[in-house]
Structures are given as structure tokens and as C-alpha cells.
């Protein structure tokens, strides 16, 4: 894996101004992202995990240049996206594509699969017009369809998993370098999820793609990613290599982690062989006992964003926002529990 980032997210913030209520004329600010720093390496799959509403999709839209950050910058191959004019933006759009969460609403029901997949081919002049059909068939084969003539059908004739394959074929039509996958399997049956994950992994390898893989499902993110970033309320609280994300048999972590990451890890059901005496083979036991601390609504003002839910908080956490601490190589935790002195132990 090449270490030079294809995309770097530098001090990125995003504020939304929304009406306070339906009848209210006044507005309030929603801090969807707060000073995010991340990089996506070439040919790397960066997993992004966090609970619903923490800002994952907002970050995805910023990475793809679909929205502008309120603060900071997003660079693609070193170039600030906000500096791109129309031609530069078109070239960028060809290189960066997206796979959506919902395969049912992401494909236009009125268009055939041929029209859906050939559209980006035409916009970006990928191949001559007389070779469009051949190229669409090639892309569909790549996504696992072998039946000829399938491109003449409409989206409603396909299952959820098949539609997601079509979405993947469309995303790869422009021969992108970066693909953002926003919860690509959450709308699918568990039995189909594994097939789609394997397809994504095969294509990432063979097409040498860089990916931002977004999910709220930790085991899936752990399975696909080279590195994992954990997000909480618009901030990144931990970035770690996949190797650091190892669960021990009792669902606890074998390495140091942010209290929020530990909370997420403990929520994962752990396979417990022979959990029920009358069952043979491995069984999934109940989820680990997680002490649930209710989420406080309202805007976070100062201190650690996880302060209200943290069982390990101290007075300092209420006052001061923690800075990133590198606890081991490529493993960074934003938490006062970890001493910056540990930085010196990193392997250079
Ligand atoms: N266009 C928008 N206008 C106003 N608020 C938004 C908009 N998009 C997202 N938000 C808010 O930003 C926060 C993060 O949302 P989102 O990025 O969709 O989270 P996630 O993808 O992690 O579920 C949420 O509080 C959401 O309500
Ligand atoms: Mg989302």
C-alpha cells in the first residue's frame, strides 16, 4: 500500500443552520463536523464507524466535493477541492465516485440498466458511442452478472443485492481512483451482505481503488478496512490500524482504546461455542453487557465530546478537549486517559 494520501481532510468543519421549529423564524446551528483530520491512502480502505447522526454521510459528501466545508479543506491528490473550476471539478468527479446505502432509491426506476450505467460513460467520454453497450456489459460482468441482455431490464426487476451490484458497476464506469461507500450493505439481508462485501474487496484489489468505507457495523468495518476511524458527534475520537481492533473472547479489547470505541466493541455479540447445552457447534451468545449511559441532547460546548456518556471521565474532561495522542504506530486516540508521553514509544 502506497502511503501518500489520495485524499486528505484537514481541520474540516461543517455547520448547518436550521430552523428551531416548524413555526419558528429563528435558526440554530448544527455542528455536523468539528475539525476533522483524516487521510485516505492510495489503495487503502479506510473504515469510518460511528452511530447514526455522528456525521459520517456529511463527511462523505465533503470528500466527494458535493458540499463545501465551513472550515478547513479537503484535498484530492494534493489539490484543494474548493479551488477547482468547472473543468477541474469534472475531472475530479470522474476520479471519485460513490456507492449509496439504499439500492432501491439510488437507481432511477424509469431508466433501463443500460441507460443508468452508460450515462457516466457518456458524460466523461470513457468510450466511443458505438462501444457503449459492450462497455456496459463488461461492467455488469465485473459486478457479477453473466446473463446477456440484462442491461435491457429495469431496476424493479432486480433484488436488493443485485441492485447494489448495479450501483457498484455504475460507480466503476468512470474508472475512479477513490470510491466512497456509504453504508453499502446496511439495507441488505445478512446473507447477501457477505457477497457484496466480497465483491467490493475483489474490485478494490483488482482496480487498485482507494475507498472510504462507511458503516455503523463494527465487525463489517473491521473485516474490510486497513485502518479504522471512529467518529463521535462530529469528531474523530480514534484512528487505528485493523490489527489494533482485536476483540478478546469476552468482547473486551486487547489493546488500549477510546472509551467510546470500547463501548462500541462491547456491544458486539461474541460467538460462544456451546452457549446452549442442547445446541451443537458454535452459537452466538447475547451481546455483552453494556452499561448504557443516555445520550444528552443539546449542543456540546467545551471539553471532551464524549464527556456526558463516559464512565471514566475526570474533571479535566469537562473543561478541556483532548488532543490526539499516538499510543502506537498509526494508532491515535483523542482522550485524556492516554498520556502524550507515550508518543515517544512509537516506532518510527
Ligand atoms: N443538509 C442538512 N441540513 C441540516 N442538518 C443536516 C444536514 N445533513 C446532515 N445534518 C445533520 O448533521 C448531523 C450528521 O448527519 P449525518 O452526516 O447524516 O450523520 P450519519 O451519516 O452519521 O448518520 C445530524 O445531526 C444531521 O441531522
Ligand atoms: Mg449516513
Amino acid at each position: 500500500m502506497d502511503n501518500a494520501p489520495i485524499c486528505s481532510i484537514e481541520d474540516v468543519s461543517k455547520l448547518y443552520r436550521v430552523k428551531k421549529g416548524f413555526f419558528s423564524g429563528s435558526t440554530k446551528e448544527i455542528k455536523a463536523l468539528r475539525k476533522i483530520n483524516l487521510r485516505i491512502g492510495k489503495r487503502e480502505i479506510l473504515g469510518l464507524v460511528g452511530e447514526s447522526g455522528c456525521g459520517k454521510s456529511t463527511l462523505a459528501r465533503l470528500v466527494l466535493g458535493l458540499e463545501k466545508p465551513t472550515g478547513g479543506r479537503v484535498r484530492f491528490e494534493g489539490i484543494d477541492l474548493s479551488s477547482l473550476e468547472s473543468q477541474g471539478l469534472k475531472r475530479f468527479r470522474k476520479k471519485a465516485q460513490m456507492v449509496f446505502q439504499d439500492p432501491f432509491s439510488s437507481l432511477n426506476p424509469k431508466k433501463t440498466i443500460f441507460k443508468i450505467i452508460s450515462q457516466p460513460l457518456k458524460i466523461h467520454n470513457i468510450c466511443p458511442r458505438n462501444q457503449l453497450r459492450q462497455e456496459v456489459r463488461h461492467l455488469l460482468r465485473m459486478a457479477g452478472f453473466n446473463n446477456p441482455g440484462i442491461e435491457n431490464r429495469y431496476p424493479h426487476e432486480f433484488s436488493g443485492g443485485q441492485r447494489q451490484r448495479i450501483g457498484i458497476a455504475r460507480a466503476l464506469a468512470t474508472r475512479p481512483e477513490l470510491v466512497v461507500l456509504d453504508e453499502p450493505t446496511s439495507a441488505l439481508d445478512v446473507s447477501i451482505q457477505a457477497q457484496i462485501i466480497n465483491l467490493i474487496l475483489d474490485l478494490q484489489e483488482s482496480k487498485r481503488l482507494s475507498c472510504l468505507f462507511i458503516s455503523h457495523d463494527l465487525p463489517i468495518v473491521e473485516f474490510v478496512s486497513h485502518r479504522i476511524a471512529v467518529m463521535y458527534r462530529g469528531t474523530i475520537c480514534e484512528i487505528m490500524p485493523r490489527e489494533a481492533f482485536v476483540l478478546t473472547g469476552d468482547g473486551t479489547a486487547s489493546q488500549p482504546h477510546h472509551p467510546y470505541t470500547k463501548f462500541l466493541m462491547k456491544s458486539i455479540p461474541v460467538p460462544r461455542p456451546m452457549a446452549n447445552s442442547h445446541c451443537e457447534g458454535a452459537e452466538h451468545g447475547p451481546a455483552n453487557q453494556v452499561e448504557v449511559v443516555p445520550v444528552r441532547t443539546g449542543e456540546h460546548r467545551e471539553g471532551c465530546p464524549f464527556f456526558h456518556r463516559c464512565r471514566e471521565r475526570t474533571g479535566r474532561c469537562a473543561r478541556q478537549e483532548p488532543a490526539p495522542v499516538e499510543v502506537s504506530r498509526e494508532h491515535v486516540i483523542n482522550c485524556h486517559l492516554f498520556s502524550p508521553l507515550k508518543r515517544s514509544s512509537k516506532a518510527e
Side-chain angles (χ1 to χ4, degrees), residues 14-19 28 30-33 48-61 67 101 182-183 214-216 231 233-234 299:
K14 181 71 186 174
L15 298 182
Y16 289 111
R17 192 161 279 286
V18 293
K19 271 177 126 184
K28 63 173 180 180
I30 293 180
K31 291 179 183 165
L33 300 176
L48 182 63
V49 73
E51 62 199 15
S52 186
C54 71
K56 304 182 294 296
S57 298
T58 304
L59 190 63
R61 291 195 294 275
E67 281 183 35
Q101 170 177 2
D182 191 358
E183 310 251 13
I214 298 173
S215 179
H216 60 263
M231 207 169 169
R233 282 192 161 192
E299 270 304 304

Side-chain angles (χ1 to χ4, degrees), residues 1-17:
M1 193 169 38
D2 186 346
N3 272 336
I6 190 163
C7 174
S8 44
I9 297 153
E10 300 168 3
D11 276 336
V12 162
S13 302
K14 181 71 186 174
L15 298 182
Y16 289 111
R17 192 161 279 286

Side-chain angles (χ1 to χ4, degrees), residues 71-261:
R73 61 191 59 78
V74 178
R75 291 184 195 275
F76 181 81
E77 292 177 333
I79 299 168
D80 185 346
L81 291 188
S82 64
S83 71
L84 293 176
E85 302 293 334
S86 61
Q87 277 308 310
L89 207 54
K90 190 175 173 191
R91 273 197 296 279
F92 165 70
R93 293 259 150 81
K94 178 172 176 285
K95 289 182 177 182
Q97 289 287 324
M98 175 139 188
V99 174
F100 296 91
Q101 170 177 2
D102 186 358
F104 293 91
S105 59
S106 63
L107 303 177
N108 187 337
K110 292 182 185 155
K111 289 189 174 169
T112 62
I113 303 308
F114 174 74
K115 280 209 166 149
I116 289 171
I117 299 180
S118 63
Q119 194 176 24
L121 294 172
K122 284 192 226 161
I123 292 172
H124 295 286
N125 281 325
I126 305 287
C127 65
R129 296 219 159 208
N130 60 1
Q131 286 174 23
L132 278 176
R133 193 159 292 270
Q134 207 180 325
E135 182 65 17
V136 168
R137 284 182 182 159
H138 165 71
L139 286 161
L140 285 169
R141 265 198 310 279
M142 223 165 61
F145 292 101
N146 293 314
N147 304 1
I150 209 156
E151 73 274 13
N152 298 322
R153 299 209 209 147
Y154 287 86
H156 73 265
E157 298 176 57
F158 296 90
S159 67
Q162 288 172 324
R163 286 188 212 202
Q164 197 55 300
R165 285 176 189 274
I166 295 164
I168 291 170
R170 177 180 57 183
L172 295 188
T174 63
R175 298 169 195 169
E177 290 166 30
L178 172 68
V179 179
V180 175
L181 302 113
D182 191 358
E183 310 251 13
T185 57
S186 350
L188 304 177
D189 288 347
V190 176
S191 57
I192 308 297
Q193 283 183 356
Q195 295 172 17
I196 298 296
I197 292 291
N198 286 335
L199 174 69
I200 291 167
L201 288 177
D202 285 350
L203 291 170
Q204 187 267 334
E205 185 78 24
S206 61
K207 305 287 166 200
R208 305 161 71 87
L209 300 171
S210 310
C211 296
L212 176 62
F213 188 99
I214 298 173
S215 179
H216 60 263
D217 189 323
L218 255 75
I220 288 185
V221 168
E222 190 261 309
F223 184 71
V224 301
S225 313
H226 298 117
R227 284 189 308 133
I228 299 166
V230 182
M231 207 169 169
Y232 182 75
R233 282 192 161 192
T235 61
I236 299 292
C237 58
E238 182 164 358
I239 306 172
M240 64 195 127
R242 187 199 351 221
E243 302 76 65
F245 188 88
V246 179
L247 295 173
T248 59
D250 61 356
T252 54
S254 58
Q255 301 217 14
H257 286 296
H258 189 283
Y260 178 59
T261 312

